[in-house]
Amino acid sequence: MINDNKGLFFSLDMVLALIPIFILILNVTNANICYTNFYLTKHYFMEAQDTSELMTQCTVFDDQTVLEGISKALSESKDPIQGIESAKKIADPFLKKTLGNRNYLFVEMNYLKGMEITSRGNFEDAKNVSVAVKSNGNYIFKLYVWE
């Protein structure tokens, strides 16, 4: 009678080969993948960044960019409310044209402490909000974009 140990090694090799497969199956079944939210978040982030970049490059009038015009409107007015109204007349048409029917909120953070310059939509109900920050002179502007 000859003792053959080849079957033991074959069985051990098969069990070891199945371990990575079981780990892979467990990872795939437990993964909570939501590509839609990731895509929307990335899309809105890029849209917010692109729009704020356009505000620093597009000249509207008097060879000033949109942000320069807004900064000038805020700085030349002695009353902050009048300055905001003047800035809104510059920012609102540009944002409506650029963002279409997207919701947005445009605020100044440094001097106006987050006061709204212009907006579209209800920010309180916003989901998947993306933010872009730009500065011009001493003013720091934030643009929020959401669905």
Side-chain angles (χ1 to χ4, degrees), residues 73-111:
L74 291 173
S75 64
E76 288 181 348
S77 178
K78 294 179 182 182
D79 181 26
I81 303 300
Q82 286 180 333
I84 290 172
E85 286 300 317
S86 298
K88 182 176 182 169
K89 290 177 184 174
I90 298 168
D92 207 32
F94 179 82
L95 291 173
K96 283 181 182 177
K97 179 181 171 186
T98 306
L99 293 172
N101 36 343
R102 294 272 185 256
N103 294 319
Y104 58 86
L105 172 65
F106 186 64
V107 298
E108 197 285 323
M109 299 303 295
N110 194 23
Y111 288 106

PDB file of all heavy atoms in Angstrom, residues 73-111:
ATOM      1  N   ALA A  73     -18.729  98.533  -7.637  1.00  0.00           N
ATOM      2  CA  ALA A  73     -20.073  98.946  -7.205  1.00  0.00           C
ATOM      3  C   ALA A  73     -20.199  98.893  -5.687  1.00  0.00           C
ATOM      4  O   ALA A  73     -20.813  99.766  -5.077  1.00  0.00           O
ATOM      5  CB  ALA A  73     -21.126  98.048  -7.849  1.00  0.00           C
ATOM      6  N   LEU A  74     -19.610  97.885  -5.063  1.00  0.00           N
ATOM      7  CA  LEU A  74     -19.669  97.779  -3.604  1.00  0.00           C
ATOM      8  C   LEU A  74     -18.803  98.829  -2.921  1.00  0.00           C
ATOM      9  O   LEU A  74     -19.186  99.380  -1.892  1.00  0.00           O
ATOM     10  CB  LEU A  74     -19.231  96.375  -3.162  1.00  0.00           C
ATOM     11  CG  LEU A  74     -20.172  95.225  -3.506  1.00  0.00           C
ATOM     12  CD1 LEU A  74     -19.530  93.890  -3.165  1.00  0.00           C
ATOM     13  CD2 LEU A  74     -21.498  95.383  -2.785  1.00  0.00           C
ATOM     14  N   SER A  75     -17.640  99.111  -3.489  1.00  0.00           N
ATOM     15  CA  SER A  75     -16.715 100.035  -2.820  1.00  0.00           C
ATOM     16  C   SER A  75     -17.097 101.498  -3.007  1.00  0.00           C
ATOM     17  O   SER A  75     -16.821 102.329  -2.135  1.00  0.00           O
ATOM     18  CB  SER A  75     -15.284  99.807  -3.316  1.00  0.00           C
ATOM     19  OG  SER A  75     -15.176 100.114  -4.686  1.00  0.00           O
ATOM     20  N   GLU A  76     -17.733 101.846  -4.129  1.00  0.00           N
ATOM     21  CA  GLU A  76     -18.072 103.247  -4.386  1.00  0.00           C
ATOM     22  C   GLU A  76     -19.321 103.703  -3.642  1.00  0.00           C
ATOM     23  O   GLU A  76     -19.542 104.894  -3.494  1.00  0.00           O
ATOM     24  CB  GLU A  76     -18.250 103.479  -5.889  1.00  0.00           C
ATOM     25  CG  GLU A  76     -16.942 103.452  -6.643  1.00  0.00           C
ATOM     26  CD  GLU A  76     -17.126 103.700  -8.129  1.00  0.00           C
ATOM     27  OE1 GLU A  76     -18.279 103.675  -8.625  1.00  0.00           O
ATOM     28  OE2 GLU A  76     -16.106 103.921  -8.804  1.00  0.00           O
ATOM     29  N   SER A  77     -20.120 102.770  -3.181  1.00  0.00           N
ATOM     30  CA  SER A  77     -21.342 103.139  -2.479  1.00  0.00           C
ATOM     31  C   SER A  77     -21.067 103.279  -0.985  1.00  0.00           C
ATOM     32  O   SER A  77     -20.424 102.434  -0.377  1.00  0.00           O
ATOM     33  CB  SER A  77     -22.416 102.073  -2.715  1.00  0.00           C
ATOM     34  OG  SER A  77     -23.568 102.418  -2.003  1.00  0.00           O
ATOM     35  N   LYS A  78     -21.578 104.373  -0.417  1.00  0.00           N
ATOM     36  CA  LYS A  78     -21.407 104.586   1.025  1.00  0.00           C
ATOM     37  C   LYS A  78     -22.391 103.740   1.823  1.00  0.00           C
ATOM     38  O   LYS A  78     -22.105 103.345   2.943  1.00  0.00           O
ATOM     39  CB  LYS A  78     -21.573 106.060   1.357  1.00  0.00           C
ATOM     40  CG  LYS A  78     -20.470 106.898   0.755  1.00  0.00           C
ATOM     41  CD  LYS A  78     -20.629 108.350   1.053  1.00  0.00           C
ATOM     42  CE  LYS A  78     -19.512 109.110   0.362  1.00  0.00           C
ATOM     43  NZ  LYS A  78     -19.531 110.515   0.599  1.00  0.00           N
ATOM     44  N   ASP A  79     -23.537 103.465   1.239  1.00  0.00           N
ATOM     45  CA  ASP A  79     -24.550 102.645   1.883  1.00  0.00           C
ATOM     46  C   ASP A  79     -24.420 101.200   1.368  1.00  0.00           C
ATOM     47  O   ASP A  79     -24.488 100.980   0.155  1.00  0.00           O
ATOM     48  CB  ASP A  79     -25.938 103.192   1.566  1.00  0.00           C
ATOM     49  CG  ASP A  79     -27.051 102.403   2.221  1.00  0.00           C
ATOM     50  OD1 ASP A  79     -26.804 101.778   3.269  1.00  0.00           O
ATOM     51  OD2 ASP A  79     -28.171 102.411   1.668  1.00  0.00           O
ATOM     52  N   PRO A  80     -24.218 100.225   2.260  1.00  0.00           N
ATOM     53  CA  PRO A  80     -24.052  98.840   1.806  1.00  0.00           C
ATOM     54  C   PRO A  80     -25.249  98.309   1.019  1.00  0.00           C
ATOM     55  O   PRO A  80     -25.073  97.546   0.074  1.00  0.00           O
ATOM     56  CB  PRO A  80     -23.877  98.041   3.104  1.00  0.00           C
ATOM     57  CG  PRO A  80     -23.501  99.028   4.137  1.00  0.00           C
ATOM     58  CD  PRO A  80     -24.052 100.338   3.700  1.00  0.00           C
ATOM     59  N   ILE A  81     -26.451  98.736   1.374  1.00  0.00           N
ATOM     60  CA  ILE A  81     -27.649  98.262   0.677  1.00  0.00           C
ATOM     61  C   ILE A  81     -27.656  98.756  -0.767  1.00  0.00           C
ATOM     62  O   ILE A  81     -27.963  98.005  -1.693  1.00  0.00           O
ATOM     63  CB  ILE A  81     -28.936  98.714   1.414  1.00  0.00           C
ATOM     64  CG1 ILE A  81     -28.932  98.210   2.865  1.00  0.00           C
ATOM     65  CG2 ILE A  81     -30.180  98.242   0.679  1.00  0.00           C
ATOM     66  CD1 ILE A  81     -28.865  96.707   3.007  1.00  0.00           C
ATOM     67  N   GLN A  82     -27.301 100.036  -0.974  1.00  0.00           N
ATOM     68  CA  GLN A  82     -27.214 100.564  -2.342  1.00  0.00           C
ATOM     69  C   GLN A  82     -26.100  99.877  -3.113  1.00  0.00           C
ATOM     70  O   GLN A  82     -26.244  99.603  -4.306  1.00  0.00           O
ATOM     71  CB  GLN A  82     -26.974 102.071  -2.314  1.00  0.00           C
ATOM     72  CG  GLN A  82     -28.183 102.887  -1.925  1.00  0.00           C
ATOM     73  CD  GLN A  82     -27.861 104.381  -1.917  1.00  0.00           C
ATOM     74  OE1 GLN A  82     -26.718 104.774  -1.715  1.00  0.00           O
ATOM     75  NE2 GLN A  82     -28.894 105.204  -2.114  1.00  0.00           N
ATOM     76  N   GLY A  83     -24.985  99.589  -2.450  1.00  0.00           N
ATOM     77  CA  GLY A  83     -23.886  98.883  -3.087  1.00  0.00           C
ATOM     78  C   GLY A  83     -24.289  97.494  -3.528  1.00  0.00           C
ATOM     79  O   GLY A  83     -23.932  97.041  -4.625  1.00  0.00           O
ATOM     80  N   ILE A  84     -25.050  96.813  -2.675  1.00  0.00           N
ATOM     81  CA  ILE A  84     -25.527  95.473  -3.029  1.00  0.00           C
ATOM     82  C   ILE A  84     -26.480  95.542  -4.223  1.00  0.00           C
ATOM     83  O   ILE A  84     -26.413  94.703  -5.125  1.00  0.00           O
ATOM     84  CB  ILE A  84     -26.196  94.803  -1.803  1.00  0.00           C
ATOM     85  CG1 ILE A  84     -25.134  94.466  -0.758  1.00  0.00           C
ATOM     86  CG2 ILE A  84     -26.961  93.548  -2.208  1.00  0.00           C
ATOM     87  CD1 ILE A  84     -25.689  93.987   0.561  1.00  0.00           C
ATOM     88  N   GLU A  85     -27.356  96.538  -4.234  1.00  0.00           N
ATOM     89  CA  GLU A  85     -28.284  96.684  -5.368  1.00  0.00           C
ATOM     90  C   GLU A  85     -27.522  96.953  -6.674  1.00  0.00           C
ATOM     91  O   GLU A  85     -27.858  96.408  -7.717  1.00  0.00           O
ATOM     92  CB  GLU A  85     -29.301  97.804  -5.101  1.00  0.00           C
ATOM     93  CG  GLU A  85     -30.368  97.426  -4.106  1.00  0.00           C
ATOM     94  CD  GLU A  85     -31.189  96.230  -4.548  1.00  0.00           C
ATOM     95  OE1 GLU A  85     -31.574  96.145  -5.738  1.00  0.00           O
ATOM     96  OE2 GLU A  85     -31.433  95.357  -3.700  1.00  0.00           O
ATOM     97  N   SER A  86     -26.496  97.798  -6.610  1.00  0.00           N
ATOM     98  CA  SER A  86     -25.685  98.074  -7.802  1.00  0.00           C
ATOM     99  C   SER A  86     -24.932  96.823  -8.244  1.00  0.00           C
ATOM    100  O   SER A  86     -24.836  96.533  -9.436  1.00  0.00           O
ATOM    101  CB  SER A  86     -24.682  99.194  -7.521  1.00  0.00           C
ATOM    102  OG  SER A  86     -25.345 100.385  -7.191  1.00  0.00           O
ATOM    103  N   ALA A  87     -24.400  96.079  -7.287  1.00  0.00           N
ATOM    104  CA  ALA A  87     -23.672  94.849  -7.604  1.00  0.00           C
ATOM    105  C   ALA A  87     -24.617  93.794  -8.174  1.00  0.00           C
ATOM    106  O   ALA A  87     -24.248  93.040  -9.077  1.00  0.00           O
ATOM    107  CB  ALA A  87     -22.971  94.326  -6.355  1.00  0.00           C
ATOM    108  N   LYS A  88     -25.837  93.764  -7.667  1.00  0.00           N
ATOM    109  CA  LYS A  88     -26.820  92.804  -8.153  1.00  0.00           C
ATOM    110  C   LYS A  88     -27.152  93.055  -9.615  1.00  0.00           C
ATOM    111  O   LYS A  88     -27.343  92.113 -10.385  1.00  0.00           O
ATOM    112  CB  LYS A  88     -28.091  92.870  -7.302  1.00  0.00           C
ATOM    113  CG  LYS A  88     -29.148  91.878  -7.702  1.00  0.00           C
ATOM    114  CD  LYS A  88     -30.337  91.929  -6.778  1.00  0.00           C
ATOM    115  CE  LYS A  88     -31.342  90.875  -7.210  1.00  0.00           C
ATOM    116  NZ  LYS A  88     -32.393  90.694  -6.226  1.00  0.00           N
ATOM    117  N   LYS A  89     -27.210  94.339 -10.012  1.00  0.00           N
ATOM    118  CA  LYS A  89     -27.510  94.675 -11.405  1.00  0.00           C
ATOM    119  C   LYS A  89     -26.418  94.175 -12.353  1.00  0.00           C
ATOM    120  O   LYS A  89     -26.672  93.952 -13.531  1.00  0.00           O
ATOM    121  CB  LYS A  89     -27.683  96.186 -11.555  1.00  0.00           C
ATOM    122  CG  LYS A  89     -28.944  96.707 -10.915  1.00  0.00           C
ATOM    123  CD  LYS A  89     -29.050  98.207 -11.026  1.00  0.00           C
ATOM    124  CE  LYS A  89     -30.277  98.712 -10.281  1.00  0.00           C
ATOM    125  NZ  LYS A  89     -30.350 100.178 -10.244  1.00  0.00           N
ATOM    126  N   ILE A  90     -25.224  93.990 -11.837  1.00  0.00           N
ATOM    127  CA  ILE A  90     -24.128  93.462 -12.657  1.00  0.00           C
ATOM    128  C   ILE A  90     -24.121  91.930 -12.603  1.00  0.00           C
ATOM    129  O   ILE A  90     -24.005  91.262 -13.628  1.00  0.00           O
ATOM    130  CB  ILE A  90     -22.773  94.017 -12.166  1.00  0.00           C
ATOM    131  CG1 ILE A  90     -22.757  95.535 -12.297  1.00  0.00           C
ATOM    132  CG2 ILE A  90     -21.623  93.387 -12.939  1.00  0.00           C
ATOM    133  CD1 ILE A  90     -21.595  96.203 -11.581  1.00  0.00           C
ATOM    134  N   ALA A  91     -24.242  91.373 -11.408  1.00  0.00           N
ATOM    135  CA  ALA A  91     -24.084  89.925 -11.221  1.00  0.00           C
ATOM    136  C   ALA A  91     -25.283  89.126 -11.715  1.00  0.00           C
ATOM    137  O   ALA A  91     -25.112  88.052 -12.302  1.00  0.00           O
ATOM    138  CB  ALA A  91     -23.842  89.621  -9.744  1.00  0.00           C
ATOM    139  N   ASP A  92     -26.480  89.619 -11.468  1.00  0.00           N
ATOM    140  CA  ASP A  92     -27.681  88.849 -11.773  1.00  0.00           C
ATOM    141  C   ASP A  92     -27.808  88.483 -13.254  1.00  0.00           C
ATOM    142  O   ASP A  92     -28.001  87.310 -13.571  1.00  0.00           O
ATOM    143  CB  ASP A  92     -28.914  89.602 -11.273  1.00  0.00           C
ATOM    144  CG  ASP A  92     -30.057  88.672 -10.942  1.00  0.00           C
ATOM    145  OD1 ASP A  92     -29.791  87.538 -10.515  1.00  0.00           O
ATOM    146  OD2 ASP A  92     -31.218  89.093 -11.099  1.00  0.00           O
ATOM    147  N   PRO A  93     -27.704  89.429 -14.184  1.00  0.00           N
ATOM    148  CA  PRO A  93     -27.826  89.050 -15.599  1.00  0.00           C
ATOM    149  C   PRO A  93     -26.721  88.071 -16.042  1.00  0.00           C
ATOM    150  O   PRO A  93     -26.979  87.145 -16.810  1.00  0.00           O
ATOM    151  CB  PRO A  93     -27.704  90.370 -16.359  1.00  0.00           C
ATOM    152  CG  PRO A  93     -27.957  91.431 -15.367  1.00  0.00           C
ATOM    153  CD  PRO A  93     -27.584  90.883 -14.044  1.00  0.00           C
ATOM    154  N   PHE A  94     -25.516  88.287 -15.537  1.00  0.00           N
ATOM    155  CA  PHE A  94     -24.410  87.405 -15.921  1.00  0.00           C
ATOM    156  C   PHE A  94     -24.651  85.979 -15.424  1.00  0.00           C
ATOM    157  O   PHE A  94     -24.482  85.011 -16.166  1.00  0.00           O
ATOM    158  CB  PHE A  94     -23.085  87.934 -15.367  1.00  0.00           C
ATOM    159  CG  PHE A  94     -21.925  87.053 -15.699  1.00  0.00           C
ATOM    160  CD1 PHE A  94     -21.315  87.136 -16.935  1.00  0.00           C
ATOM    161  CD2 PHE A  94     -21.461  86.125 -14.785  1.00  0.00           C
ATOM    162  CE1 PHE A  94     -20.257  86.306 -17.258  1.00  0.00           C
ATOM    163  CE2 PHE A  94     -20.406  85.291 -15.094  1.00  0.00           C
ATOM    164  CZ  PHE A  94     -19.798  85.382 -16.338  1.00  0.00           C
ATOM    165  N   LEU A  95     -25.056  85.829 -14.166  1.00  0.00           N
ATOM    166  CA  LEU A  95     -25.282  84.493 -13.608  1.00  0.00           C
ATOM    167  C   LEU A  95     -26.482  83.805 -14.249  1.00  0.00           C
ATOM    168  O   LEU A  95     -26.454  82.592 -14.485  1.00  0.00           O
ATOM    169  CB  LEU A  95     -25.437  84.570 -12.092  1.00  0.00           C
ATOM    170  CG  LEU A  95     -24.165  84.944 -11.330  1.00  0.00           C
ATOM    171  CD1 LEU A  95     -24.461  85.161  -9.852  1.00  0.00           C
ATOM    172  CD2 LEU A  95     -23.094  83.882 -11.511  1.00  0.00           C
ATOM    173  N   LYS A  96     -27.542  84.555 -14.536  1.00  0.00           N
ATOM    174  CA  LYS A  96     -28.696  83.965 -15.210  1.00  0.00           C
ATOM    175  C   LYS A  96     -28.330  83.462 -16.591  1.00  0.00           C
ATOM    176  O   LYS A  96     -28.741  82.386 -17.008  1.00  0.00           O
ATOM    177  CB  LYS A  96     -29.838  84.983 -15.305  1.00  0.00           C
ATOM    178  CG  LYS A  96     -30.593  85.168 -14.016  1.00  0.00           C
ATOM    179  CD  LYS A  96     -31.716  86.159 -14.177  1.00  0.00           C
ATOM    180  CE  LYS A  96     -32.440  86.356 -12.853  1.00  0.00           C
ATOM    181  NZ  LYS A  96     -33.491  87.370 -12.947  1.00  0.00           N
ATOM    182  N   LYS A  97     -27.526  84.253 -17.289  1.00  0.00           N
ATOM    183  CA  LYS A  97     -27.103  83.863 -18.633  1.00  0.00           C
ATOM    184  C   LYS A  97     -26.151  82.668 -18.583  1.00  0.00           C
ATOM    185  O   LYS A  97     -26.262  81.744 -19.385  1.00  0.00           O
ATOM    186  CB  LYS A  97     -26.432  85.047 -19.315  1.00  0.00           C
ATOM    187  CG  LYS A  97     -25.936  84.755 -20.716  1.00  0.00           C
ATOM    188  CD  LYS A  97     -25.259  85.979 -21.296  1.00  0.00           C
ATOM    189  CE  LYS A  97     -24.576  85.646 -22.597  1.00  0.00           C
ATOM    190  NZ  LYS A  97     -23.802  86.779 -23.099  1.00  0.00           N
ATOM    191  N   THR A  98     -25.239  82.660 -17.645  1.00  0.00           N
ATOM    192  CA  THR A  98     -24.213  81.623 -17.576  1.00  0.00           C
ATOM    193  C   THR A  98     -24.743  80.314 -16.995  1.00  0.00           C
ATOM    194  O   THR A  98     -24.446  79.243 -17.513  1.00  0.00           O
ATOM    195  CB  THR A  98     -23.019  82.107 -16.726  1.00  0.00           C
ATOM    196  OG1 THR A  98     -22.561  83.354 -17.246  1.00  0.00           O
ATOM    197  CG2 THR A  98     -21.886  81.115 -16.767  1.00  0.00           C
ATOM    198  N   LEU A  99     -25.522  80.385 -15.924  1.00  0.00           N
ATOM    199  CA  LEU A  99     -25.977  79.177 -15.243  1.00  0.00           C
ATOM    200  C   LEU A  99     -27.339  78.680 -15.720  1.00  0.00           C
ATOM    201  O   LEU A  99     -27.768  77.595 -15.321  1.00  0.00           O
ATOM    202  CB  LEU A  99     -26.024  79.416 -13.729  1.00  0.00           C
ATOM    203  CG  LEU A  99     -24.669  79.622 -13.068  1.00  0.00           C
ATOM    204  CD1 LEU A  99     -24.831  80.035 -11.609  1.00  0.00           C
ATOM    205  CD2 LEU A  99     -23.828  78.358 -13.167  1.00  0.00           C
ATOM    206  N   GLY A 100     -28.023  79.443 -16.541  1.00  0.00           N
ATOM    207  CA  GLY A 100     -29.319  78.994 -17.043  1.00  0.00           C
ATOM    208  C   GLY A 100     -30.316  78.839 -15.914  1.00  0.00           C
ATOM    209  O   GLY A 100     -30.514  79.740 -15.115  1.00  0.00           O
ATOM    210  N   ASN A 101     -30.945  77.660 -15.818  1.00  0.00           N
ATOM    211  CA  ASN A 101     -31.933  77.455 -14.758  1.00  0.00           C
ATOM    212  C   ASN A 101     -31.363  76.737 -13.543  1.00  0.00           C
ATOM    213  O   ASN A 101     -32.099  76.163 -12.773  1.00  0.00           O
ATOM    214  CB  ASN A 101     -33.190  76.741 -15.269  1.00  0.00           C
ATOM    215  CG  ASN A 101     -32.894  75.712 -16.314  1.00  0.00           C
ATOM    216  OD1 ASN A 101     -31.839  75.706 -16.897  1.00  0.00           O
ATOM    217  ND2 ASN A 101     -33.829  74.848 -16.579  1.00  0.00           N
ATOM    218  N   ARG A 102     -30.069  76.789 -13.334  1.00  0.00           N
ATOM    219  CA  ARG A 102     -29.457  76.267 -12.099  1.00  0.00           C
ATOM    220  C   ARG A 102     -29.729  77.238 -10.960  1.00  0.00           C
ATOM    221  O   ARG A 102     -29.848  78.438 -11.163  1.00  0.00           O
ATOM    222  CB  ARG A 102     -27.943  76.134 -12.252  1.00  0.00           C
ATOM    223  CG  ARG A 102     -27.515  75.115 -13.235  1.00  0.00           C
ATOM    224  CD  ARG A 102     -27.399  73.759 -12.550  1.00  0.00           C
ATOM    225  NE  ARG A 102     -26.861  72.804 -13.482  1.00  0.00           N
ATOM    226  CZ  ARG A 102     -27.591  71.887 -14.090  1.00  0.00           C
ATOM    227  NH1 ARG A 102     -28.875  71.818 -13.868  1.00  0.00           N
ATOM    228  NH2 ARG A 102     -27.038  71.048 -14.919  1.00  0.00           N
ATOM    229  N   ASN A 103     -29.800  76.701  -9.781  1.00  0.00           N
ATOM    230  CA  ASN A 103     -29.942  77.539  -8.594  1.00  0.00           C
ATOM    231  C   ASN A 103     -28.569  78.007  -8.144  1.00  0.00           C
ATOM    232  O   ASN A 103     -27.590  77.263  -8.255  1.00  0.00           O
ATOM    233  CB  ASN A 103     -30.622  76.757  -7.476  1.00  0.00           C
ATOM    234  CG  ASN A 103     -32.048  76.408  -7.828  1.00  0.00           C
ATOM    235  OD1 ASN A 103     -32.775  77.212  -8.379  1.00  0.00           O
ATOM    236  ND2 ASN A 103     -32.447  75.199  -7.524  1.00  0.00           N
ATOM    237  N   TYR A 104     -28.514  79.212  -7.626  1.00  0.00           N
ATOM    238  CA  TYR A 104     -27.240  79.760  -7.184  1.00  0.00           C
ATOM    239  C   TYR A 104     -27.457  80.771  -6.070  1.00  0.00           C
ATOM    240  O   TYR A 104     -28.550  81.292  -5.877  1.00  0.00           O
ATOM    241  CB  TYR A 104     -26.476  80.409  -8.345  1.00  0.00           C
ATOM    242  CG  TYR A 104     -27.226  81.529  -9.038  1.00  0.00           C
ATOM    243  CD1 TYR A 104     -27.175  82.837  -8.556  1.00  0.00           C
ATOM    244  CD2 TYR A 104     -27.982  81.277 -10.163  1.00  0.00           C
ATOM    245  CE1 TYR A 104     -27.863  83.857  -9.181  1.00  0.00           C
ATOM    246  CE2 TYR A 104     -28.670  82.292 -10.805  1.00  0.00           C
ATOM    247  CZ  TYR A 104     -28.607  83.579 -10.308  1.00  0.00           C
ATOM    248  OH  TYR A 104     -29.301  84.582 -10.936  1.00  0.00           O
ATOM    249  N   LEU A 105     -26.382  81.021  -5.357  1.00  0.00           N
ATOM    250  CA  LEU A 105     -26.343  82.056  -4.326  1.00  0.00           C
ATOM    251  C   LEU A 105     -24.969  82.698  -4.425  1.00  0.00           C
ATOM    252  O   LEU A 105     -23.954  82.008  -4.391  1.00  0.00           O
ATOM    253  CB  LEU A 105     -26.555  81.453  -2.936  1.00  0.00           C
ATOM    254  CG  LEU A 105     -26.361  82.376  -1.738  1.00  0.00           C
ATOM    255  CD1 LEU A 105     -27.397  83.491  -1.735  1.00  0.00           C
ATOM    256  CD2 LEU A 105     -26.432  81.587  -0.441  1.00  0.00           C
ATOM    257  N   PHE A 106     -24.936  84.009  -4.554  1.00  0.00           N
ATOM    258  CA  PHE A 106     -23.686  84.752  -4.693  1.00  0.00           C
ATOM    259  C   PHE A 106     -23.583  85.723  -3.523  1.00  0.00           C
ATOM    260  O   PHE A 106     -24.467  86.567  -3.342  1.00  0.00           O
ATOM    261  CB  PHE A 106     -23.677  85.495  -6.038  1.00  0.00           C
ATOM    262  CG  PHE A 106     -22.385  86.171  -6.356  1.00  0.00           C
ATOM    263  CD1 PHE A 106     -21.228  85.442  -6.542  1.00  0.00           C
ATOM    264  CD2 PHE A 106     -22.323  87.546  -6.480  1.00  0.00           C
ATOM    265  CE1 PHE A 106     -20.027  86.062  -6.843  1.00  0.00           C
ATOM    266  CE2 PHE A 106     -21.139  88.186  -6.786  1.00  0.00           C
ATOM    267  CZ  PHE A 106     -19.983  87.439  -6.966  1.00  0.00           C
ATOM    268  N   VAL A 107     -22.537  85.568  -2.714  1.00  0.00           N
ATOM    269  CA  VAL A 107     -22.382  86.384  -1.507  1.00  0.00           C
ATOM    270  C   VAL A 107     -20.975  86.965  -1.440  1.00  0.00           C
ATOM    271  O   VAL A 107     -20.054  86.477  -2.089  1.00  0.00           O
ATOM    272  CB  VAL A 107     -22.646  85.555  -0.222  1.00  0.00           C
ATOM    273  CG1 VAL A 107     -24.065  85.035  -0.186  1.00  0.00           C
ATOM    274  CG2 VAL A 107     -21.665  84.415  -0.093  1.00  0.00           C
ATOM    275  N   GLU A 108     -20.835  88.017  -0.620  1.00  0.00           N
ATOM    276  CA  GLU A 108     -19.516  88.591  -0.332  1.00  0.00           C
ATOM    277  C   GLU A 108     -19.210  88.282   1.124  1.00  0.00           C
ATOM    278  O   GLU A 108     -20.028  88.516   2.003  1.00  0.00           O
ATOM    279  CB  GLU A 108     -19.518  90.104  -0.574  1.00  0.00           C
ATOM    280  CG  GLU A 108     -18.137  90.719  -0.707  1.00  0.00           C
ATOM    281  CD  GLU A 108     -17.388  90.865   0.609  1.00  0.00           C
ATOM    282  OE1 GLU A 108     -18.030  91.163   1.629  1.00  0.00           O
ATOM    283  OE2 GLU A 108     -16.160  90.687   0.599  1.00  0.00           O
ATOM    284  N   MET A 109     -17.998  87.771   1.392  1.00  0.00           N
ATOM    285  CA  MET A 109     -17.688  87.248   2.722  1.00  0.00           C
ATOM    286  C   MET A 109     -16.872  88.199   3.602  1.00  0.00           C
ATOM    287  O   MET A 109     -16.946  88.120   4.811  1.00  0.00           O
ATOM    288  CB  MET A 109     -16.920  85.924   2.601  1.00  0.00           C
ATOM    289  CG  MET A 109     -17.687  84.842   1.884  1.00  0.00           C
ATOM    290  SD  MET A 109     -19.284  84.465   2.621  1.00  0.00           S
ATOM    291  CE  MET A 109     -18.782  83.811   4.188  1.00  0.00           C
ATOM    292  N   ASN A 110     -16.095  89.090   3.034  1.00  0.00           N
ATOM    293  CA  ASN A 110     -15.154  89.874   3.828  1.00  0.00           C
ATOM    294  C   ASN A 110     -15.826  91.083   4.485  1.00  0.00           C
ATOM    295  O   ASN A 110     -15.898  91.164   5.704  1.00  0.00           O
ATOM    296  CB  ASN A 110     -13.971  90.305   2.970  1.00  0.00           C
ATOM    297  CG  ASN A 110     -12.813  90.812   3.776  1.00  0.00           C
ATOM    298  OD1 ASN A 110     -12.681  90.487   4.946  1.00  0.00           O
ATOM    299  ND2 ASN A 110     -11.982  91.624   3.161  1.00  0.00           N
ATOM    300  N   TYR A 111     -16.306  92.021   3.696  1.00  0.00           N
ATOM    301  CA  TYR A 111     -16.893  93.248   4.244  1.00  0.00           C
ATOM    302  C   TYR A 111     -18.373  93.086   4.587  1.00  0.00           C
ATOM    303  O   TYR A 111     -18.849  93.625   5.568  1.00  0.00           O
ATOM    304  CB  TYR A 111     -16.727  94.413   3.269  1.00  0.00           C
ATOM    305  CG  TYR A 111     -15.311  94.899   3.190  1.00  0.00           C
ATOM    306  CD1 TYR A 111     -14.527  94.626   2.083  1.00  0.00           C
ATOM    307  CD2 TYR A 111     -14.748  95.618   4.231  1.00  0.00           C
ATOM    308  CE1 TYR A 111     -13.211  95.060   2.016  1.00  0.00           C
ATOM    309  CE2 TYR A 111     -13.438  96.049   4.175  1.00  0.00           C
ATOM    310  CZ  TYR A 111     -12.678  95.762   3.066  1.00  0.00           C
ATOM    311  OH  TYR A 111     -11.380  96.190   3.011  1.00  0.00           O
TER     312      TYR A 111
END
